[in-house]
Structures are given as C-alpha cells and as structure tokens.
Amino acid sequence: MRFWMTVLCVLLSLSGYSQKDAELWAGISAEKELSKKSVFGLALESRFNDNATRLDNYFVAPEFSYEFTDFYEVTAGYRFGKWLDIAQQRVQLDQTFTYEKLRHTYFFRLRWQRTFERTELPSDKVRFKAGYRFEPNSSWRFGISFEQFNAIYNYKSNWLNDELRFTADVRYSINKSQDISLFYRYEIDQSVSYPEMRFILGCSYDIEF
C-alpha cells in the first residue's frame, strides 16, 4: 500500500510545477447485473477547470457489457454531453482482455469510438489501454494504467497518435454494493508543435444493484 500512496503523492506534486490550472472530474455510476454474464451501466460525469471552479463539460453515458469468458469481455456504449457549449455524441465499442492471479489483475483494452458534433464531420479514434491492479484486501484496490489515443483518417495522415494518458487510482469499498474512487491523471498531446499537458484529479461514487 505504501508504494501506491507514493505514486499518488508524486503525481500530485508534479501538477504544481507543470500547470497553474487544476482540473477536477467528478462522477457517479450505477450498474445492474442482468445475468451472470451481462451488465447494464449508467454514468454521469462533470468536468471542471479554472482551478475546479468552472464547469467545462458534462455527459451521461449508458453502456452494456457481456462477458464471453473469464478473460474476454465486450462493451458497447453511448455518450451524450456538452463540450464548450457544443452538443456532442459518441458511440464506442470496447474489447477487454483480463488475466487475474491471486490479488493481481492485468488487463488490456482496445476501444473504437466515433464522435459526432453538429459543426464537424464525425471523427474516429482507436485507443489502446493497458493496466495493472492490486487488491491487498476486500476493501482496497490500487491501479496504474497507460493509454494511447490514435486518430483515424486525420487530415494529416490515416493514422495519427494524438494523445497519451497515464493514471494512478485507488478504490475503497464501502460495502458489497458501494465504492468510492480517487484517481490522478496526466495527459499530453502528441504530433503537435506545442503539446498541451493536463493534470487531472478525479473522484467517483459507484453503486451496484
């Protein structure tokens, strides 16, 4: 546990040197098990900037997951929200591969997404995410992950690496159906002359029915 708390403290200290504006992402999610292999979920999230004082965007996101095996799961999702006062919709399809051994979990997720905005043509991205989770007991879970965003059919090329994301997170289980989570995230743009760096603190409350 000491190692994971150190990781979070290091990331928090980096934000003070790298940017003046702190972002906050706050969300709530609910899940309902439809069968032993299928789950329906609904998430609501708000994202704030200007040192977490101004609402920048928000969205609602339903999704459906089906677990084909203990190692392979497919999730289809939809998201509707507002970004900079512009309505935006997104559809996405995830394939997640998971390997668990005792208290250790390794996972890889492949996501395809298409985003729609009224003023622009639809844009596609493929995202690769790899991560590791450790559960020392039934109450706590710690994780780290890396994710790469790739734009498809971008105006510069057919395949463009446009963003990297690194995340450290911790989850605490209140009981068997309720969790609270905290994460710290570092994002950086790619394939641009002046990449923007973003440091984000996030929190969420999750419930299962």
Side-chain angles (χ1 to χ4, degrees), residues 110-123:
L110 173 63
R111 168 175 290 179
W112 167 85
Q113 67 182 49
R114 171 166 288 185
T115 303
F116 303 87
E117 292 183 5
R118 290 191 305 170
T119 58
E120 297 182 9
L121 293 174
S123 60

Side-chain angles (χ1 to χ4, degrees), residues 29-200:
S29 70
E31 286 188 351
K32 172 64 177 178
E33 188 177 273
L34 304 179
S35 69
K36 290 184 178 180
K37 291 183 175 292
S38 60
V39 175
F40 175 78
L42 181 66
L44 302 171
E45 186 171 303
S46 299
R47 298 179 177 180
F48 301 83
N49 58 12
D50 289 345
N51 293 319
T53 61
R54 184 175 69 88
L55 179 61
D56 183 49
N57 56 69
Y58 56 89
F59 62 82
V60 56
E63 66 177 25
F64 174 79
S65 301
Y66 188 84
E67 186 181 75
F68 287 89
T69 69
D70 292 339
F71 308 99
Y72 178 62
E73 182 180 78
V74 173
T75 302
Y78 169 77
R79 191 162 88 174
F80 175 80
K82 274 197 172 183
W83 266 253
L84 300 173
D85 295 325
I86 299 175
Q88 186 182 89
Q89 299 181 73
R90 190 173 88 184
V91 292
Q92 61 193 41
L93 183 66
D94 297 348
Q95 296 184 77
T96 305
F97 304 86
T98 305
Y99 174 71
E100 297 182 7
K101 185 175 182 180
L102 299 177
R103 300 176 180 177
H104 308 273
T105 301
Y106 306 86
F107 68 91
F108 174 79
R109 188 191 71 190
L110 173 63
R111 168 175 290 179
W112 167 85
Q113 67 182 49
R114 171 166 288 185
T115 303
F116 303 87
E117 292 183 5
R118 290 191 305 170
T119 58
E120 297 182 9
L121 293 174
S123 60
D124 292 350
K125 285 188 179 182
V126 172
R127 296 161 56 175
F128 304 99
K129 182 177 182 179
Y132 164 75
R133 300 189 186 107
F134 174 65
E135 295 188 44
N137 52 52
S138 59
S139 297
W140 292 94
R141 188 191 74 186
F142 302 89
I144 54 175
S145 63
F146 161 80
E147 188 168 8
Q148 177 178 314
F149 293 63
N150 301 277
I152 306 176
Y153 302 121
N154 188 273
Y155 66 93
K156 291 184 178 179
S157 63
N158 288 335
W159 184 279
L160 184 70
N161 173 19
D162 66 348
E163 184 181 329
L164 296 177
R165 172 184 286 178
F166 303 88
T167 304
D169 65 87
V170 57
R171 186 202 68 185
Y172 175 73
S173 295
I174 302 172
N175 51 44
K176 291 184 178 180
S177 60
Q178 299 179 79
D179 301 324
I180 53 174
S181 301
L182 177 72
F183 70 80
Y184 201 80
R185 177 166 292 160
Y186 166 71
E187 296 180 343
I188 184 169
D189 295 334
Q190 300 288 291
S191 305
V192 293
S193 300
Y194 302 98
E196 177 184 344
M197 293 182 293
R198 294 171 292 278
F199 293 84
I200 303 152

